[in-house]
Amino acid sequence: MQTLQVDLGERSYPIHIGERLIDRSDLFASKIRGRQVAIVTNETVAPLYLDRLASTLSGYAVTPIILPDGESHKNWETLQLIFDALLGARHDRNTTVVALGGGVIGDMAGFAAASYQRGVDFIQVPTTLLSQVDSSVGGKTGINHPLGKNMIGAFYQPRAVVIDTATLATLPSRELSAGLAEVIKYGLICDEPFLTWLEANIDRIRSLDSLALTEAIHRSCAAKAKVVNADERESGVRATLNLGHTFGHAIETHMGYGVWLHGEAVSAGTVMALEMSSQLGWIGQADRDRAIRLLQRAGLPVVPPAEMQPQDFLEHMAVDKKVLDGRLRLVLLRQMGAAVVTGDFPRGVLETTLSADYGAMTEHLGA
């Protein structure tokens, strides 16, 4: 097991990474203050891991809460199911909410914990690669709105993050690839040597090589923790973690939540951010193509939906959380391994980016 620390003063917490950590009661006991525990999971994950985690927590009064699976259920109606269960079982302020699942479960369980009786403890047990390397770390919680993704929520840090890498053995290959979009992101925005390492090891990761997976998760979490330590509430550098997300969220919202997986939309959005960075003269086409090839090798889409027009993107991007005083800001690359958040770009460059022929651009690169 490897352990990292997110250093946020009295809100600091550990990130444990290793195999079969779901069975380690000691990792949970030190972070549970009361006798009540609610395990929030979904219909897909529950048959795989709920009984094991409940057994690990057998010394507590455990309430299982099983939600429908999928991004389309990340809404107020599903959130109410968590509150219904907590109130129905009379959970008090000393309860601990445990999120067992992917990013949707982590976001909703965290938001419920932030809201229930004005805040109770919660622990993240992420079971997808995307949630292990991104959404479980940093305290972003929330739900979607029909007009925008993740527009309703709270910053609320967990007491611990327990990453059991063995859960990835049951993860569909499409979900594994979706998680790799966030892993690749770290190399692009702040760690070019990690990008080089990924180019050499992407096939090992996709074949679930234990050492390669653990290294990729560890380096991703270390990068995320460093950024969160410096900027917990996304007032500055933390926004760079959203490379490709403004374009990607527009895809998710327009196509309908869950049609494109989050990582798939981020991948296509990252290609758009790379193209815009190239159009501005900040990175060369060779750098742009290098990143696109890696996304392709990860099994990810690199072309936005054909049915989306530039105006569709603009309408959805207008309600992005990085819009300030009516001005759209984007995460772009000054160079490989160095991202910036900026609203200082010519409108024409954005329009060129939105209307580019990504099919023709990426077709010759191959996987």
Side-chain angles (χ1 to χ4, degrees), residues 198-264:
L198 286 169
E199 289 171 322
N201 291 278
I202 194 72
D203 295 335
R204 291 176 61 205
I205 295 171
R206 293 189 70 189
S207 66
L208 299 181
D209 178 89
S210 179
L211 290 177
L213 267 175
T214 300
E215 178 71 8
I217 294 168
H218 184 274
R219 291 182 71 162
S220 297
C221 288
K224 178 83 178 268
K226 183 177 180 180
V227 172
V228 171
N229 292 346
D231 179 20
E232 181 182 2
R233 291 181 174 266
E234 203 169 289
S235 59
V237 68
R238 182 168 179 174
T240 61
L241 293 170
N242 293 314
L243 178 70
H245 284 58
T246 300
F247 298 110
H249 286 169
I251 293 172
E252 290 183 88
T253 303
H254 186 82
M255 299 300 290
Y257 299 126
V259 176
W260 281 53
L261 297 179
H262 174 66
E264 293 172 337

Side-chain angles (χ1 to χ4, degrees), residues 71-130:
E71 187 83 28
S72 62
H73 298 289
K74 189 178 170 183
N75 52 35
W76 277 117
E77 291 76 16
T78 308
L79 187 70
Q80 288 284 16
L81 298 177
I82 303 177
F83 295 135
D84 290 347
L86 291 172
L87 289 165
R90 299 185 180 181
H91 281 254
D92 58 30
R93 282 185 165 177
N94 288 324
T95 195
T96 297
V97 174
V98 179
L100 174 67
V104 172
I105 287 296
D107 279 10
M108 286 199 298
F111 190 27
S115 308
Y116 186 69
Q117 299 203 28
R118 298 184 176 87
V120 297
D121 291 342
F122 90 109
I123 295 171
Q124 289 271 22
V125 186
T127 60
T128 66
L129 181 60
L130 191 147

Side-chain angles (χ1 to χ4, degrees), residues 173-204:
S173 59
R174 183 184 174 195
E175 294 273 3
L176 185 74
S177 290
L180 284 171
E182 298 285 2
V183 174
I184 292 168
K185 171 194 73 179
Y186 293 112
L188 290 171
I189 67 170
C190 63
D191 190 353
E192 195 278 335
F194 184 36
L195 196 67
T196 302
W197 183 88
L198 286 169
E199 289 171 322
N201 291 278
I202 194 72
D203 295 335
R204 291 176 61 205

